[in-house]
């Protein structure tokens, strides 16, 4: 990633606006109130600002949108963004306004005249998230982004309000970087190493190798990775910010660094997208990073199963029967339904070792969830209404799309196998639900559990208000909020 944008907050001073280079953005309420900043900019531009604000186009702007004046005469700036953001704007609108500025940000930076806007920290957050750029593999002119400065009436107050949001943005960027990284770079080794580096932030990180996994009996997980030259790993990340010995919340992520489908190989078209099949593990890692950076007062353990699904002479075959760590046997009908095999063993291990208060798994698990919900919503499956509703509320509050899906015995019945305890697939119909039913078989009775199928939301092909196309980091904000609201000592 190019260096992330780190906004500064300084006291409003309109004296040298004419000399300001880069871009200038000014937050305006609507047409009526002419603040000192608007008046000053209008005078410098010989009336251009008020002409913009009185235009039909400005009248039609949604809250959070902007009109850009390019190379305005009277200003040294390349552009002046007049951003429509009333003082009573909500958090979403403020973040979107920031996103508009972040998208326009160039190498010469931007001065944002926020003055006394009550949502300035949220504007800065939106700007930071949208200004993310994955340029690791672009040679030539790196377009490092210039400095971003907010002019505000109380810099210390806004900076303090922004501190947790900055930690959160760092978590999102960690997720996005991992998910955007190609699979020849983000091998199972490299992934484990990047997670081990989180030790510097105070997380306890263990990397379990194949020998240890074999001792633990994680045959389902190892079976998926046995066709790859990259050894399988499980990484355990513990953040102990809560009350001593209070049972943790467990987050479990699917970390398939590349999914060819295995012997049930995928078609060539679009297979390159399967570099993002570690998206669930990426979100778990991003949340752990954010919790550590903001020193969350909660106990949370993140566990990720890191494997590569390759076809090979040693690869698992369709029809193989494998015994899980739990003890149940699985007939592997389709080696491309590998994520659930990885998760089953890691979910079981998480429960056996940590006896968690709740467990949430994330996975780019099925194409079927994309057919059902598109790229706008993650499929949410749960055995517990309280935890599930709390999560849905947190996701809504963060503007992350999430939609609860049904579960039930009839779906579970589709997993019946002639020769083993279950098959790993339940047919095309309701494919996202039967995948969830498979996971549920590895959740202990009574333990609150949520499964998040992020196949559609982890990566998108078009820009979003708060992220450029590519990895989104979906879920980091919602999970952080859920932890803050439900699992954190106040
Ligand atoms: N990683 C895929 C699911 C996926 C598809 C993620 C598209 C992101 C975008 C998963 O391992 C998979 O291959 N699922 C199969 C399951 C089927 C064989 C039952 C699928 O969805 O086709
Ligand atoms: Mn697959
Ligand atoms: Zn997969």
């Amino acid at each position: 990633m190019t260096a992330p944008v780190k906004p500064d907050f300084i006291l409003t001073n309109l004296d040298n606006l004419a000399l300001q280079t880069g871009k200038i953005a000014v937050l305006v309420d609507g047409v009526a109130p002419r603040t000192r900043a608007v008046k000053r900019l209008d005078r410098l531009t010989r009336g251009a600002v008020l002409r913009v604000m009185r235009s039909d186009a400005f009248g039609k702007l949604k809250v959070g949108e902007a009109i850009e004046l390019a190379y305005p005469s009277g200003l040294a700036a390349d552009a002046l963004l007049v951003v429509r953001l009333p003082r009573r704007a909500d958090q979403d609108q403020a973040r979107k306004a920031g996103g508009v500025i972040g998208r326009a940000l160039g190498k010469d930076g931007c001065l944002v005249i926020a003055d006394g806007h009550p949502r300035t920290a949220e504007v800065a957050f939106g700007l930071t998230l949208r200004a993310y750029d994955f340029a690791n593999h672009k040679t030539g002119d790196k377009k490092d982004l210039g400095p971003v400065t907010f002019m505000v009436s109380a810099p210390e107050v806004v900076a303090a309000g922004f501190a947790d949001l900055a930690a959160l943005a760092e978590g999102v960027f960690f997720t996005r970087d991992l998910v955007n990284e190609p699979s020849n770079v983000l091998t199972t080794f490299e992934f484990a190493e990047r997670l081990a580096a989180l030790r510097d932030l105070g997380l306890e990180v263990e990397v379990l190798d194949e020998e240890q996994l074999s001792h633990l009996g994680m045959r389902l997980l190892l079976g998926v990775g046995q066709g790859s030259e990259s050894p399988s790993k499980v990484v355990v990340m513990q953040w102990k910010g809560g009350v001593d010995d209070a049972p943790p919340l467990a987050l479990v992520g699917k970390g398939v660094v590349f999914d060819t489908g295995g012997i049930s190989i995928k078609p060539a078209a679009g297979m390159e997208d399967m570099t993002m099949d570690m998206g669930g593990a990426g979100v778990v890692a991003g949340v752990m990073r954010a919790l550590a950076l903001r020193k969350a007062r909660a106990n949370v353990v993140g566990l990720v199963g890191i494997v590569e699904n390759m076809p090979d002479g040693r690869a698992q075959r369709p029809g193989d029967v494998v015994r899980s760590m739990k003890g149940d046997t699985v007939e592997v009908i389709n080696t491309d339904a590998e994520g659930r095999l990885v998760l089953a063993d890691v979910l079981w291990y998480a429960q056996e070792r940590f006896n968690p208060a709740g467990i949430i798994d994330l996975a780019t698990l099925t194409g079927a969830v994309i057919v059902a919900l598109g790229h706008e919503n993650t499929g949410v499956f749960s055995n517990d209404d309280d935890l599930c509703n709390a999560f849905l509320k947190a996701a809504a509050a963060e503007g992350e799309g999430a939609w609860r899906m049904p579960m039930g015995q009839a779906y579970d019945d589709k997993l019946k196998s002639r020769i083993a305890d279950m098959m790993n697939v339940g047919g095309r119909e309701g494919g996202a639900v039967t995948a969830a039913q498979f996971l549920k078989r590895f959740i202990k009775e009574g333990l609150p559990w949520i499964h998040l199928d992020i196949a559609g939301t982890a990566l998108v092909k078009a820009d979003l208000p708060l992220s450029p196309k590519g990895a989104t980091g979906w879920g980091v904000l919602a999970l952080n909020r859920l932890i803050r609201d439900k699992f954190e000592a106040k």
Side-chain angles (χ1 to χ4, degrees):
M1 179 180 65
T2 47
V5 168
K6 293 212 164 71
D8 265 331
F9 303 98
I10 64 166
L11 193 64
T12 305
N13 172 2
L14 303 176
D15 289 347
N16 293 320
L17 277 188
L19 303 176
Q20 178 70 38
T21 53
K23 303 203 174 193
I24 299 176
V26 60
L27 308 182
V28 302
D29 209 297
V31 191
R34 294 185 204 168
T35 59
R36 280 181 54 234
V38 167
K39 277 191 221 157
R40 170 66 58 99
L41 287 166
D42 192 55
R43 188 142 37 80
L44 290 171
T45 60
R46 297 166 182 250
V49 173
L50 283 178
R51 282 174 65 205
V52 166
M53 290 172 66
R54 286 178 187 136
S55 69
D56 282 354
F58 193 83
K60 285 181 189 144
L61 283 190
K62 294 202 188 90
V63 170
E65 292 180 343
I67 284 184
E68 179 169 334
L69 263 177
Y71 304 102
S73 69
L75 295 179
D78 297 341
L80 174 66
L81 272 91
V82 186
V83 185
R84 181 161 175 225
L85 194 71
R87 296 182 64 81
R88 58 182 158 66
D90 63 22
Q91 173 194 280
D92 251 33
Q93 293 167 326
R95 288 183 184 181
K96 271 192 191 123
V100 167
I101 304 169
R103 185 184 61 206
L105 191 64
K107 66 177 174 30
D108 295 322
C110 186
L111 175 75
V112 184
I113 308 174
D115 226 342
H117 201 288
R119 298 232 184 237
T120 301
E122 297 291 352
V123 176
F125 185 50
L127 189 160
T128 308
L129 288 177
R130 183 60 182 81
Y132 170 88
D133 182 32
F134 184 71
N136 282 6
H137 306 292
K138 298 260 196 198
T139 61
D141 282 346
K142 285 241 177 184
K143 70 158 210 251
D144 265 331
L145 298 171
V148 173
T149 307
F150 278 76
M151 279 187 179
V152 300
S153 41
E156 301 78 26
V157 178
V158 182
F162 184 67
D164 276 4
L165 294 171
L168 206 47
E170 289 276 335
V172 172
F173 293 166
F174 193 48
T175 303
R176 288 181 185 172
D177 279 355
L178 289 166
V179 175
N180 280 324
E181 203 68 272
S183 305
N184 61 329
V185 175
L186 197 80
T187 59
T188 59
F189 278 114
E190 174 69 14
F191 199 170
E193 241 162 57
R194 292 196 192 184
L195 298 183
L198 292 173
R199 284 176 191 137
D200 294 349
L201 302 178
L203 286 155
E204 274 174 38
V205 184
E206 295 156 67
V207 180
L208 309 181
D209 63 19
E210 285 190 342
E211 200 183 319
Q212 291 165 294
L213 299 178
S214 170
H215 276 299
L216 287 165
M218 293 205 201
R219 285 166 295 262
L220 287 182
L221 180 145
L222 289 167
V224 173
Q226 79 191 27
S228 170
E229 294 292 325
S230 276
S232 302
K233 296 176 190 298
V234 167
V235 178
V236 182
M237 297 162 271
Q238 293 189 69
W239 176 251
K240 297 175 177 169
V243 182
D244 275 356
D245 299 327
L249 171 70
L251 303 177
V252 173
K254 168 181 172 180
V256 176
V257 294
F258 195 77
D259 180 14
T260 63
I263 297 300
S264 313
I265 198 162
K266 288 181 181 295
M271 202 202 275
E272 68 279 6
D273 286 346
M274 286 304 115
T275 174
M276 53 72 98
D277 210 21
M278 34 55 67
V283 174
V284 171
V287 174
M288 298 310 294
R289 182 172 168 83
L291 294 177
L293 282 170
R294 71 173 182 82
K295 304 213 168 0
R297 297 164 61 125
N299 296 337
V300 181
V301 54
L303 302 100
V304 295
I306 302 180
V307 305
E308 186 178 42
N309 189 19
M310 293 293 244
D312 179 78
R314 283 179 306 177
Q316 169 159 272
R317 292 155 291 260
D320 283 2
V321 173
V322 186
R323 189 151 168 263
S324 65
M325 180 181 175
K326 180 186 174 196
D328 296 354
T329 56
V330 178
E331 185 186 5
V332 180
I333 298 294
N334 188 322
T335 64
D336 197 12
E338 85 295 343
R340 62 198 76 182
L341 301 174
V342 173
L343 286 174
D345 275 345
V346 182
L347 284 167
W348 193 254
Y349 176 65
Q351 295 166 88
E352 289 281 272
R353 174 162 170 201
F354 293 104
N355 194 22
I359 192 161
I360 302 178
D361 75 73
L362 296 106
T364 49
L365 202 63
T366 67
V369 84
I370 311 177
V371 175
L373 299 174
H375 297 278
E376 342 299 322
N377 281 288
T378 285
V380 181
F381 304 81
S382 182
N383 63 356
D384 187 278
D385 290 348
D386 283 347
L387 183 62
C388 188
N389 289 334
F391 177 79
L392 293 171
K393 210 175 128 198
E398 296 292 352
E400 292 184 325
W403 194 261
R404 189 167 183 181
M405 302 281 281
M407 297 192 71
Q409 188 58 48
Y411 296 104
D412 184 79
D413 289 344
K414 297 192 177 208
L415 297 171
K416 277 188 187 140
S417 160
R418 182 175 57 86
I419 62 166
D421 296 334
M422 70 194 90
M423 304 190 295
N424 75 328
V425 291
R428 250 171 59 80
E429 296 168 349
V433 189
T434 50
Q437 294 292 160
F438 182 93
L439 298 179
K440 185 166 183 287
R441 287 174 173 238
F442 296 87
I443 301 296
K444 293 184 181 178
E445 192 62 39
L447 175 64
W449 159 72
I450 300 175
H451 157 57
L452 300 169
D453 192 338
I454 60 171
T457 47
L459 188 102
V460 294
K461 304 263 164 177
D463 291 344
L464 294 174
L466 299 182
S467 82
K469 55 177 159 286
T472 61
W474 184 99
V476 175
L477 306 189
L479 287 166
N480 175 74
R481 180 179 285 258
L482 178 77
I483 290 162
R484 202 189 67 196
D485 293 350
K486 285 275 159 192
F487 294 89
E488 213 154 329
K490 289 282 151 27

